[in-house]
């Protein structure tokens, strides 16, 4: 994740000729030199089958594959491309930055500017540190939480993704509130022995975990609106209890807003929960995706007193050769300067909601069980009659039906995430026409999904 596609002036891509499928050719070539042919697993289309599309270029809400086929893009690089691809002001800022130097290994003014811009919209944070990926930010936030509390245990929820740091590659153990098992080879059980995995939105498990281990818990880390099990919100009472229990036991509440930050609202998911729970704020926040605008950039931050425990001021070590990279910060800043404009989120939210409502209506017309949710420019839909509340419920979706929906849409030029446990994204560049084309495509596919 995290590459930006410069706009290509001439249309020099290849059209599919002599029945050569260039995506297939590339995939075969890629698999010889890159494991599975991809540099991030979900891109391989394993869940849905078929050949991944190799993207040649992108502009606005669209991209073109190796055969020159055009798609409406509802992935947006998994979230960062909130303005769509190749926004002229962002491209200009990046081009200017490139001429000034790629990387210095010394501080720059742009890092201050980006930090100031981010902090302006997130009152829970007084300071932040820039890093290069969400994984790195999440891992560092946990180290900081452990350093700040002098405790080892952490709580995470099943279905929430916080990057692939060893201690987070873990699934629930056999019993209630037991410590988890690694979900990846190469992660020693000792490394996850301090990670407690609970069911999302399950108040009873939450209470039990704090009853048993409250004074040993460094932090509770969560996606406030989970986008890595499609789209599942923490209920307001659940969120309130997370906050209360953390405060009561001296644990830090860590919001992983890598996906939701500057995506569901200018102030992220924490702005939304603060509206429902007066005075609500997390202790630490992890950001990524949108703040880099498609470049490798992420951050973690919180109150000054906690952040100043970071090296070189404090005892918690963390560093990065390319942290605060001048090209990435230019891209992130230019992106943020667009989305802070008045009305940006109102328009994006309305467009996203309209897409979801119309899809739901189209499904209902064909008698297909379907539920939808969205916030800002992030959405989720399920081939289920009701919105799921946790990972187990998300997985009740019939995989074969989702695959039919995915490939049906793809064949009609609509590119959604190739897995049913991923959220979707609408950008400012999606037009009324893009939305209409998407709904018409979905109508066709729903006919084939009609119950017998
Ligand atoms: C994408 C994501 C990450 C990981 O970010 P990378 O930049 O891919 O390392 C972490 N947490 C959440 C919530 C994410 O969506």
């Amino acid at each position: 994740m995290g590459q930006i596609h410069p706009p290509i002036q001439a249309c020099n891509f290849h059209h599919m000729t002599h029945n050569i499928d260039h995506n297939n050719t590339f995939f075969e070539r890629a698999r010889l030199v890159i494991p599975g042919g991809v540099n991030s697993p979900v891109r391989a289309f394993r869940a849905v089958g078929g050949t991944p599309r190799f993207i040649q270029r992108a502009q606005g809400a669209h991209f073109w594959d190796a055969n020159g086929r055009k798609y409406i893009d509802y992935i947006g690089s998994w979230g960062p491309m909130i303005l769509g691809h190749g926004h002229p002001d962002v491209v200009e800022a990046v081009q200017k930055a490139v001429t000034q130097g790629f990387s210095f290994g010394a501080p720059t003014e742009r890092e201050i500017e980006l930090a100031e811009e981010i902090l302006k919209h997130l009152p829970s944070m007084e300071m932040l540190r820039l890093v290069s990926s969400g994984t790195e930010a999440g891992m560092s936030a946990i180290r900081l939480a452990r350093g700040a509390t002098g405790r080892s245990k952490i709580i995470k929820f099943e279905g929430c993704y916080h990057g692939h740091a060893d201690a987070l590659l873990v699934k629930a153990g056999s019993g209630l509130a037991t410590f988890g098992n690694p979900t990846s080879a190469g992660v020693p059980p000792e490394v996850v022995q301090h990670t407690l995995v609970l069911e999302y939105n399950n108040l009873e498990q939450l209470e039990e975990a704090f009853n048993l281990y409250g004074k040993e818990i460094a932090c509770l880390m969560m996606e406030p609106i989970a986008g890595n099990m499609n789209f599942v919100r923490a209920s307001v009472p659940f969120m309130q209890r997370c906050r209360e229990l953390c405060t009561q036991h001296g644990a830090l509440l860590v919001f992983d807003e890598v996906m939701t930050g500057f995506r569901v609202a200018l102030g992220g998911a924490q702005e939304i929960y603060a509206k429902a729970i007066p005075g609500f704020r997390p202790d630490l926040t992890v950001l990524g995706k949108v703040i880099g605008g498609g470049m490798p950039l992420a951050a973690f931050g919180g109150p000054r007193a906690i952040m100043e425990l970071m090296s070189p001021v404090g005892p918690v070590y963390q560093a990065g050769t390319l942290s605060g990279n001048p090209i990435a910060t230019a891209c992130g800043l230019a992106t943020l300067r667009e989305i802070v404009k008045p009305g940006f989120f109102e328009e994006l939210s309305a467009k996203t909601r309209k897409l979801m409502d119309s899809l739901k209506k189209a499904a209902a017309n064909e008698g297909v069980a379907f539920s939808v949710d969205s916030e800002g420019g992030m959405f989720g839909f399920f081939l289920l009659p009701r919105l799921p509340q946790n990972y187990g419920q998300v997985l009740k979706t019939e995989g074969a039906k989702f695959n039919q929906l995915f490939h049906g849409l793809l064949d009609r030029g609509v590119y959604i995430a190739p897995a049913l446990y991923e959220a979707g994204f609408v950008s400012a560049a999606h037009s009324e026409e893009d939305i209409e084309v998407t709904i018409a495509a979905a109508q066709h596919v729903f006919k084939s999904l009609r119950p017998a």
Side-chain angles (χ1 to χ4, degrees):
M1 293 174 207
Q3 51 283 66
I4 194 165
H5 306 279
I8 289 174
Q9 312 306 337
C11 289
N12 60 351
F13 53 89
H14 309 285
H15 281 278
M16 200 163 157
T17 47
H18 311 298
N19 291 328
I20 296 171
D21 183 338
H22 295 283
N23 293 310
N24 259 327
T25 310
F26 283 152
F27 196 36
E28 278 167 26
R29 223 174 106 199
R31 276 184 294 185
L32 296 176
V33 290
I34 299 167
V38 293
N39 285 312
S40 201
V42 72
R43 299 179 195 171
F45 276 26
R46 282 289 178 107
V48 292
T51 307
R53 303 307 191 256
F54 281 71
I55 307 305
Q56 285 219 320
R57 67 186 189 100
Q59 184 58 50
H62 305 121
F63 56 44
W64 286 261
D65 74 5
N67 295 326
R69 260 207 85 188
K70 179 182 176 183
Y71 301 88
I72 304 174
D73 173 17
Y74 286 107
I75 298 190
S77 186
W78 301 96
M81 310 313 297
I82 195 166
L83 302 178
H85 300 276
H87 187 284
D89 292 358
V90 179
V91 171
E92 196 189 321
V94 169
Q95 282 172 336
K96 184 166 173 239
V98 163
T99 64
Q100 293 168 337
F102 288 4
S103 184
F104 314 121
T108 61
E109 184 183 4
R110 217 175 285 131
E111 292 161 84
I112 316 170
E113 285 183 284
L114 181 59
E116 286 170 348
E117 186 61 53
I118 292 170
L119 295 175
K120 216 187 282 175
H121 306 287
L122 290 156
S124 70
M125 292 162 70
E126 291 174 316
M127 299 185 108
L128 60 77
R129 177 155 282 171
L130 298 176
V131 295
S132 301
S133 75
T135 293
E136 202 187 342
M139 181 186 82
S140 305
I142 286 177
R143 187 179 306 140
L144 174 57
R146 284 172 163 164
T149 57
R151 302 171 178 185
S152 299
K153 294 191 191 331
I154 58 177
I155 291 179
K156 85 173 280 287
F157 296 106
E158 192 128 55
C160 287
Y161 178 68
H162 307 295
H164 59 92
D166 281 355
L168 295 166
L169 292 179
V170 52
K171 62 173 184 289
S174 47
L176 193 67
T178 56
F179 290 85
N181 303 311
T183 52
S184 166
V187 177
E190 302 79 53
V191 173
V192 299
Q193 70 179 354
H194 298 299
T195 311
L196 192 53
V197 186
L198 307 179
E199 190 175 71
Y200 202 65
N201 280 323
N202 185 328
L203 273 168
E204 203 182 315
Q205 282 192 13
L206 184 73
E207 300 284 352
E208 174 159 352
F210 274 95
N211 269 339
L212 288 173
Y213 304 108
K215 291 291 171 247
E216 298 165 68
I217 296 168
C219 68
L220 181 164
M221 190 176 207
M222 70 190 305
E223 286 183 79
I225 299 175
N228 288 283
M229 47 172 152
N230 199 324
F231 185 110
V232 182
R233 293 168 191 268
S235 76
V236 170
F238 185 72
M239 184 62 78
Q240 189 158 9
R241 203 59 194 136
C242 286
R243 178 65 278 179
E244 287 166 0
L245 286 168
C246 282
T247 305
Q248 194 182 318
H249 291 89
L252 299 182
L253 179 60
V254 182
F255 259 28
D256 181 349
E257 297 225 47
V258 170
M259 190 181 285
T260 53
F262 295 94
R263 168 53 80 174
V264 298
L266 202 48
Q270 51 196 269
E271 176 186 313
I272 290 160
Y273 285 97
K275 278 182 188 152
I277 308 165
F280 177 89
R281 53 177 57 175
D283 298 304
L284 296 178
T285 299
V286 185
L287 297 166
K289 298 195 167 102
V290 170
I291 64 163
M295 288 280 184
L297 195 146
F300 62 100
R304 176 180 306 275
I306 300 178
M307 288 308 290
E308 286 195 334
L309 294 171
M310 296 302 301
S311 180
V313 196
V316 180
Y317 189 70
Q318 183 274 338
T321 303
L322 298 178
S323 290
N325 175 270
I327 320 292
T329 47
C331 186
L333 251 181
T335 300
L336 293 188
R337 286 196 172 134
E338 287 303 309
I339 73 177
V340 301
K341 289 181 177 169
F344 180 90
F345 273 96
E346 285 77 357
E347 201 175 312
L348 186 64
S349 303
K351 187 159 56 179
T352 309
R353 213 171 301 122
K354 183 193 162 190
L355 173 65
M356 287 303 108
D357 289 347
S358 306
L359 287 180
K360 191 174 174 177
K361 218 171 285 165
N365 286 342
E366 302 302 333
V368 175
F370 203 72
S371 50
V372 301
D373 200 358
S374 70
E375 193 68 56
M378 175 174 161
F379 67 76
F381 56 75
F382 298 90
L383 289 160
L384 295 170
R386 267 178 306 278
L387 287 172
Q389 297 302 304
N390 59 50
Y391 189 55
Q393 290 175 6
V394 171
L395 292 185
K396 293 224 162 74
T397 307
E398 268 181 69
K401 275 194 180 164
F402 176 81
N403 295 351
Q404 215 177 319
L405 176 62
F406 170 80
H407 280 292
L409 290 174
L410 193 68
D411 288 347
R412 289 170 176 82
V414 175
Y415 196 115
I416 62 166
L420 62 84
Y421 48 81
E422 303 284 357
F425 304 96
V426 174
S427 77
H430 285 79
S431 67
E432 194 75 26
E433 194 197 335
D434 292 322
I435 304 286
E436 296 302 332
V437 169
T438 304
I439 294 160
Q443 259 157 359
H444 277 280
V445 185
F446 286 139
K447 277 194 209 308
S448 67
L449 287 174
R450 200 177 356 207

